[in-house]
Amino acid sequence: MQTEEILRQFALLAGLTPKEAQNYQALAELIQTETAGRVRPNTNLAANAQRLNMLCAAGLCCRYVLLKSAQGGGSVTLGDVSVHSAPQQEAEAARRLLQEYAAACADILADDGFVFEQVKV
């Protein structure tokens, strides 16, 4: 995973200029560290770098929307889509985006603790 690539993809998702995206470098590095901690052992990081970078960019975009919502931001652009709605709707759209990228990386991410079990009585 590369911070510069994450920021480049984030800028595209959030509709920011590359210079504006640079303001979120510290947050990008935090998300990169969090994501690295979720990757399954023995995963070939080089072979999966593009997917992981996009997952980090989506995570950064989600946090960006949440930050903007907390600051009372009005509209947010995610890729080609501009969202002009209530902060709760913007946050939900960003979470769905993140879920889509997380699903695309499901085979290389460790389980998050959810288990299906059967109870016999």
Side-chain angles (χ1 to χ4, degrees):
M1 292 178 281
Q2 298 173 336
T3 305
E4 288 304 314
E5 180 61 18
I6 292 166
L7 288 169
R8 189 181 75 74
Q9 294 296 333
F10 163 63
L12 293 172
L13 291 173
L16 300 174
T17 66
K19 186 176 180 178
E20 291 170 325
Q22 286 296 322
N23 293 328
Y24 297 91
Q25 182 169 346
L27 189 53
E29 291 170 355
L30 174 65
I31 291 168
Q32 185 177 354
T33 300
E34 291 172 355
T35 302
R38 295 179 58 205
V39 176
R40 291 179 190 221
N42 302 322
T43 297
N44 183 337
L45 295 178
N48 293 287
Q50 184 177 4
R51 289 194 297 162
L52 290 168
N53 286 337
M54 285 304 298
L55 176 61
C56 290
L60 181 54
C61 192
C62 188
R63 299 258 177 102
Y64 167 74
V65 169
L66 293 173
L67 285 169
K68 290 296 181 186
S69 294
Q71 296 169 353
S75 66
V76 173
T77 302
L78 301 174
D80 293 337
V81 179
S82 291
V83 180
H84 303 278
S85 60
Q88 183 178 0
Q89 292 172 324
E90 293 172 357
E92 184 56 34
R95 284 187 190 104
R96 282 195 309 269
L97 178 72
L98 177 57
Q99 288 172 346
E100 289 294 321
Y101 283 107
C105 293
D107 61 316
I108 58 173
L109 297 178
D111 294 332
D112 61 359
F114 186 81
V115 177
F116 282 105
E117 292 185 337
Q118 179 181 8
V119 178
K120 293 184 180 183
V121 181

